[in-house]
Amino acid sequence: MKMSNQDECYMFLWYPAPGVTSGFGVLKSERISVLEIFKPITLPYTLAFIFGWPMITFLRFGVNDIGGIFENHFRTNYIRGGLEISGLLLTAVLEGFMGRRCLLLTFLTSSALAFFAISYPTLPMVAKKALFWFTNIPTTGANTLIILLTLCVYPTSLSSVTIGMFTALACIGEVVAPLVIDYAPFLIGNQDTVFFAMGFVALIGE
């Protein structure tokens, strides 16, 4: 809850009053600072999110941008839309069984292996195309899971601040991705290096 001073954020807790079993309570307030994300208990998650958010955004941009080399623009949109829906449904089903962290690592690992395989020069084009379309599923799931993880790690009063901060940080991936995915292959004349770079980025995010 925001108070008159917009720089301060408070979390209100309702404690039972001494000697009263029900019906009344004592309202106490606790100030929640943005520095909570750098406390020892949350610092490992903060550092992981600092690396993870830009890496996953890089992968999402890459999957959306490079699909045109396998299919035409209109067909690419339809295929990607269907696969992203499948990825969201699969995430919803598996998240309860595997847990968010385990499933996120599984998605990033499978993405890395698929991208590394696509970068292999002698791999048949049919296999490359199948693996590429497959990567839409784990990258979509990873993008959803890292948002859910961020929301559950920090106090509720900091959820909007942390999501906004990490979303802004994730834009680094969108800035770097065109240079790696579009400009670098133009200079060296080798498209396979893009997929190798995306696999390497998935490992960093993991």
Side-chain angles (χ1 to χ4, degrees):
M1 178 180 293
K2 289 289 185 179
M3 303 298 288
S4 58
N5 187 348
Q6 294 299 315
D7 294 331
E8 296 182 358
C9 189
Y10 292 86
M11 177 176 63
F12 289 94
L13 304 175
W14 192 262
Y15 292 94
V20 178
T21 57
S22 63
F24 298 95
V26 178
L27 189 64
K28 297 183 179 180
S29 64
E30 177 184 353
R31 179 178 176 180
I32 303 297
S33 170
V34 179
L35 296 179
E36 289 279 335
I37 67 176
F38 298 109
K39 285 191 173 182
I41 193 172
T42 55
L43 182 59
Y45 289 96
T46 301
L47 296 177
F49 292 147
I50 288 174
F51 283 96
W53 275 78
M55 299 302 117
I56 292 174
T57 303
F58 179 97
L59 294 176
R60 294 294 299 141
F61 180 91
V63 169
N64 294 335
D65 183 61
I66 207 171
I69 68 174
F70 294 107
E71 298 286 350
N72 63 61
H73 178 71
F74 295 103
R75 187 177 298 176
T76 296
N77 289 334
Y78 285 116
I79 295 175
R80 189 173 64 241
L83 292 173
E84 288 183 353
I85 293 174
S86 302
L88 292 173
L89 294 176
L90 184 65
T91 302
V93 172
L94 295 181
E95 186 265 340
F97 293 101
M98 300 178 61
R100 292 170 184 170
R101 285 183 295 181
C102 180
L103 185 57
L104 178 59
L105 293 176
T106 301
F107 280 154
L108 290 175
T109 301
S110 60
S111 298
L113 293 176
F115 285 127
F116 284 140
I118 296 172
S119 68
Y120 196 66
T122 59
L123 189 71
M125 182 57 66
V126 175
K128 288 189 176 187
K129 184 186 296 187
L131 287 172
F132 174 77
W133 291 125
F134 162 77
T135 58
N136 283 266
I137 296 176
T139 54
T140 300
N143 185 66
T144 303
L145 286 170
I146 199 167
I147 296 174
L148 294 176
L149 274 173
T150 305
L151 288 173
C152 72
V153 166
Y154 304 109
T156 305
S157 57
L158 293 179
S159 59
S160 60
V161 176
T162 52
I163 289 294
M165 182 178 65
F166 288 121
T167 301
L169 186 65
C171 291
I172 297 175
E174 294 184 1
V175 173
V176 176
L179 299 176
V180 177
I181 294 172
D182 296 324
Y183 188 62
F186 172 77
L187 291 179
I188 62 179
N190 187 353
Q191 192 73 50
D192 291 332
T193 57
V194 173
F195 295 106
F196 184 86
M198 293 176 71
F200 184 71
V201 166
L203 287 182
I204 297 176
E206 183 179 358

